[in-house]
Amino acid sequence: MRLTRRIVSALVIGTLALGPAARPARASGPVVVFAAASLKNALDEASAAWTRETGKTARISYAGSNALAKQVEAGAPADLFISADRAWMDYVETAGLLKPDSRFDLLRNALVLIAPGPRNLGSDPQIALAPSLGTTLTHLLGGGKLAMATIDAVPAGKYGKAALEKLGAWDAVKGQVAQAENVRAALLLVARGEAPLGIVYATDAAADPSVHVLATFPSDSHPPIVYPAALLKDSHNPDAAVLLTFLRGPGARGAFERQGFTVIAAQSAGR
C-alpha cells in the first residue's frame, strides 16, 4: 500500500514538474471571418488558396457591413472583420473591439448601374450620368423598382444614394427604390428580373453573368469605396494574423483582381 502511494505521488510530482509545456497544444480551429457580402466570390477563392498553402481553414460569414459590425459589438465570436467602408470599421474601432495596429485598407471597388440579362450592344441604351439622369432612370424603370442595398446603413446603399444625389437624380427615383439587406441581395433582385435596374459594385456585376452594366458612376460622385480589414480584439486564434497577412500579399492578389477589385499596396494602405 505504501509502495503504491509512493508511485502515485512520484507520478503526480513528475507531471507537475513538467509544467504547462508538457501538455498537448490545443489545436486551432478555423479562422472566423466576418466579411462584407460583396467579397464572397473573391474571398472564397483567396481563402481556398490559403488553405492549399497552409493546411489551415477559414469559416467566413458574409452579410452587410452594418449587420456584421453590430454582431461584433454584441459579442459574436470572430477573428477578422473586413468591411465595405471605413465608417463601419470606425464604428467597431471606436467601440474598442479591434486589436491595436492591425487595421489597414485592403481593397477598392467601383459603383455601377446594372440591368437584367446579357448585354445587347444593339439595343441597350447609352446611359449619360449627367443632369438628365433622373429623367433617364425614371424612363428606364417604367414604374419598376431600382434595387439598392439599404441606403442609410449598408455601404453599397450609402454610396449609391450619394452618387444619385451628386448627379441630381435622387429626388426623381427615391420613391422607386427597393432596398435590400445587402448588395448581393440587391444584385439578386435584378438577376431574377424583379427589378429592371440596380446599383451594385462593379465586382458584383462581374460575378453574375445574368446581369450587365449600363454605366459606371464617376469615382468623385461618392465617397471612395475602400475595404478596411482588421483583427478583432477578442480573437485568440494564432492563425488569424497569418490569414490577414496572406490576404494583403501576392497569394491573394489574383483572386481579388479576377473579381475586379483593386488591391491597395501595403506601403500605401494607410488610413
Side-chain angles (χ1 to χ4, degrees), residues 53-270:
E53 181 175 303
T54 66
K56 309 290 185 178
T57 59
R59 188 168 71 247
I60 308 173
S61 178
Y62 295 104
S65 300
N66 57 313
L68 296 172
K70 293 289 188 177
Q71 289 177 33
V72 171
E73 184 182 38
D79 299 300
L80 302 181
F81 177 40
I82 309 176
S83 173
D85 72 354
R86 289 168 170 158
W88 283 111
M89 186 64 80
D90 289 345
Y91 181 91
V92 174
E93 185 170 33
T94 300
L97 299 175
L98 299 185
K99 283 192 185 296
D101 303 319
S102 69
R103 175 179 173 173
F104 61 90
D105 291 339
L106 177 63
L107 303 166
R108 291 192 178 92
N109 210 336
L111 198 68
V112 297
L113 178 69
I114 61 169
R119 185 162 183 80
N120 186 337
L121 295 177
S123 61
D124 280 342
Q126 297 298 308
I127 305 300
L129 299 180
S132 61
L133 178 60
T135 301
T136 301
L137 292 180
T138 300
H139 173 72
L140 292 176
L141 288 170
K145 296 294 186 179
L146 173 64
M148 297 175 65
T150 306
I151 60 174
D152 60 356
V154 180
K158 294 193 294 182
Y159 292 131
K161 180 182 178 183
L164 292 174
E165 287 178 331
K166 182 68 177 290
L167 296 168
W170 176 248
D171 286 341
V173 299
K174 63 183 180 182
Q176 293 178 261
V177 172
Q179 298 187 57
E181 64 181 355
N182 60 60
V183 70
R184 284 300 173 100
L187 175 71
L188 191 59
L189 288 175
V190 181
R192 290 175 172 174
E194 296 173 20
L197 297 175
I199 297 177
V200 299
Y201 296 122
T203 52
D204 297 308
D208 193 331
S210 59
V211 303
H212 63 278
V213 174
L214 294 177
T216 300
F217 288 90
S219 60
D220 62 357
S221 67
H222 52 75
I225 301 175
V226 175
Y227 290 66
L231 293 170
L232 294 170
K233 184 187 70 174
D234 291 338
S235 170
H236 299 290
N237 191 328
D239 296 329
V242 180
L243 175 57
L244 191 60
T245 298
F246 177 85
L247 292 178
R248 75 189 309 190
R253 178 179 289 271
F256 291 126
E257 291 182 341
R258 275 189 290 276
Q259 293 298 323
F261 289 99
T262 298
V263 179
I264 301 174
Q267 63 268 23
S268 63

